[in-house]
């Protein structure tokens, strides 16, 4: 096997839908086309929303599609654990390291504080942190600690992070201007996605990260954390988003595109044929197996912008 390692890192907060399996197929093809191994990591940090039942179903849905993995999920492997809910000690170690290399400070802001009317909104709809708690004196922080458990935030520098994305081309983001100080650990003690994903990708030897374009704006933060921690930077590819005819991103609400509905009306090859067509890998949505696509996959043919899902596949026509 080549030194390439790809991964699929779903959150088991519901049954997969078309958008999830589109990303899964691209991640799998990208790794397999390079002769790489493939890891399935279950991102179940949000214990309120994630359910073991969904994790089981997503393994079953991936297997149904013909997407296999060398390690991860129930199968385990050399880099276990593969369930983020079991990885706390690794996140704690990363947090300690970051705290020694950057300013990590307690943040007492409530959700309402963060979404105050004048809070600057970022391109992805999230809010850039005002830096309010960065200026608390130790005495003020101590007083607030009596009433509220703080989140932990890391202060970012005024630094441009630039990376080359296999799908989007060169991407640049200024950390202070476009992102702001971000959370490493939530007030409920849970570790934040940005920290967990960096620690896990490095621990599992991941060399290529393929995921949905909605996470593009997270990548500069993750690259900055990798640099702080002295970790290698994987190659990135952010897949185009699947949208409806109205240009609005498909969501789990579209029941006809949930895996239960898709499996009821399509064979694995028929669904893969559609996904491969949407991904620019074949000129028509002819049935095909994932394995047959692996030998001819290339990012060059994947569309760079949102993809409208045809009515025929929506199942409404
Ligand atoms: N767990 C994230 C999701 O389901 C993906 C994280 C990643 O691929 O980095 O959207």
């Amino acid at each position: 096997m080549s030194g390439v390692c790809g991964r699929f890192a779903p959150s088991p907060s519901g049954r997969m839908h078309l958008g999830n399996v589109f990303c899964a197929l691209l991640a799998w093809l990208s790794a397999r086309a390079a002769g790489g191994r493939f890891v399935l990591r279950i991102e179940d940090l949000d214990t309120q929303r994630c359910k073991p039942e969904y994790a089981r179903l997503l393994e079953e849905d991936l297997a149904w599609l013909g997407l296999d993995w060398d390690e991860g999920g129930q199968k385990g492997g050399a880099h276990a654990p593969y369930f983020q809910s079991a990885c706390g000690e690794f996140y704690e170690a990363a947090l300690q390291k970051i705290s020694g290399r950057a300013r990590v400070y307690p943040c007492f802001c409530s959700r309402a504080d963060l979404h105050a009317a004048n809070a600057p909104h970022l391109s992805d709809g999230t809010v850039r942190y005002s830096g309010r708690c960065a200026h608390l004196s130790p005495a003020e922080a101590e007083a607030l600690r009596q009433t509220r458990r703080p989140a932990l935030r890391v202060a970012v520098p005024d630094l441009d992070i630039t990376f080359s994305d296999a799908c989007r081309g060169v991407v640049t983001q200024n950390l202070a201007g476009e992102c702001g100080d971000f959370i490493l650990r939530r007030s409920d003690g849970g570790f934040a996605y940005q920290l967990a994903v960096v620690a896990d990708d490095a621990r599992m030897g991941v060399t290529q990260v393929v995921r949905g374009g909605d996470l593009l704006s997270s990548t500069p933060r993750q690259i900055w954390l990798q640099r702080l921690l002295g970790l290698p930077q994987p190659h990135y590819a952010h897949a185009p988003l699947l949208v409806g005819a109205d240009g609005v991103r498909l969501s789990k609400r579209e029941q006809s595109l949930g895996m239960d509905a898709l499996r009821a009306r399509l064979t694995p090859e028929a669904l893969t044929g559609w996904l491969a067509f949407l991904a620019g890998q074949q000129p028509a949505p002819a049935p095909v197996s994932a394995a047959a696509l692996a030998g001819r996959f290339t990012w060059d043919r994947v569309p760079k912008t949102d993809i409208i899902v045809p009515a025929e596949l929506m199942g409404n026509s």
Side-chain angles (χ1 to χ4, degrees):
M1 249 184 203
S2 68
V4 169
C5 177
R7 47 69 150 187
F8 181 51
S11 301
S13 58
R15 186 94 183 248
M16 287 200 293
H17 59 92
L18 192 73
N20 302 123
V21 289
F22 182 65
C23 286
L25 178 66
L26 284 174
W28 186 88
L29 287 174
S30 184
R32 295 305 194 207
R37 63 191 173 94
F38 197 60
V39 172
L40 174 64
R41 181 170 71 236
I42 308 295
E43 300 213 325
D44 57 352
L45 271 181
D46 183 344
T47 47
Q48 300 281 309
R49 291 175 56 232
C50 295
K51 305 240 179 323
E53 171 65 1
Y54 291 133
R56 194 187 63 69
L57 276 171
L58 75 86
E59 291 202 16
E60 208 209 284
D61 286 336
L62 291 174
W64 177 84
L65 266 174
L67 305 181
D68 61 346
W69 55 98
D70 304 294
E71 41 184 294
Q74 297 295 333
K75 185 176 188 173
H79 303 88
Y82 295 92
F83 286 72
Q84 287 192 325
S85 55
C87 296
E89 62 179 296
F90 301 105
Y91 307 147
E92 185 60 50
L95 176 62
Q96 291 312 319
K97 250 191 195 167
I98 295 167
S99 305
R101 297 173 187 186
R103 183 161 174 245
V104 174
Y105 62 88
C107 173
F108 298 90
C109 291
S110 66
R111 196 173 283 267
D113 294 333
L114 296 176
H115 291 85
N118 57 355
H121 282 258
L122 302 177
S123 54
D124 63 4
T126 57
V127 171
R128 178 162 63 80
Y129 184 56
S130 65
R132 191 163 89 152
C133 290
H135 310 296
L136 294 174
S137 69
E140 286 170 321
E142 211 31 60
L144 283 165
R145 221 183 269 277
Q146 306 304 317
T147 58
R148 229 187 265 180
R149 205 180 152 173
L152 290 178
R153 250 179 221 281
V154 61
V156 297
D158 179 5
L159 175 71
D160 280 348
I161 299 277
T162 297
F163 68 100
S164 178
D165 187 280
C167 191
R168 312 284 173 132
V170 175
V171 177
T172 298
Q173 187 191 70
N174 182 278
L175 288 177
E178 294 171 68
C179 156
D181 299 351
F182 61 94
I183 291 195
L184 297 177
R185 190 167 197 169
R186 298 190 308 265
S187 59
D188 65 4
F191 290 96
Y193 159 69
Q194 309 292 355
L195 172 74
V197 78
V198 165
D200 286 338
D201 282 337
R203 187 170 60 80
M204 295 172 184
V206 169
T207 65
Q208 56 168 249
V209 170
V210 177
R211 57 188 174 196
D214 52 325
L215 289 167
L216 184 67
S217 64
S218 285
T219 303
R221 271 170 274 185
Q222 294 173 16
I223 291 175
W224 181 66
L225 287 181
Q226 286 154 7
R227 291 181 190 171
L228 266 186
L229 292 166
L231 301 172
Q233 180 180 321
H235 296 283
Y236 287 97
H238 289 83
L241 294 179
L242 301 184
V243 298
D246 53 2
V248 177
R249 189 180 169 199
L250 299 172
S251 75
K252 286 187 180 159
R253 282 188 298 270
E254 246 89 30
Q255 296 198 349
S256 65
L257 298 179
M259 274 309 272
D260 44 356
L262 290 169
R263 284 179 62 163
R265 66 189 160 96
L266 296 168
T267 63
E269 290 76 19
L271 178 54
T272 305
W274 270 108
L275 296 171
F277 168 64
L278 296 180
Q281 303 301 309
Q282 54 179 12
V288 66
S289 70
L293 287 166
R296 48 189 157 99
F297 175 78
T298 159
W299 278 106
D300 297 342
R301 290 198 289 263
V302 178
K304 311 288 175 253
T305 51
D306 293 352
I307 299 169
I308 296 178
V309 176
E312 200 183 334
L313 180 55
M314 294 287 284
N316 304 330
S317 59

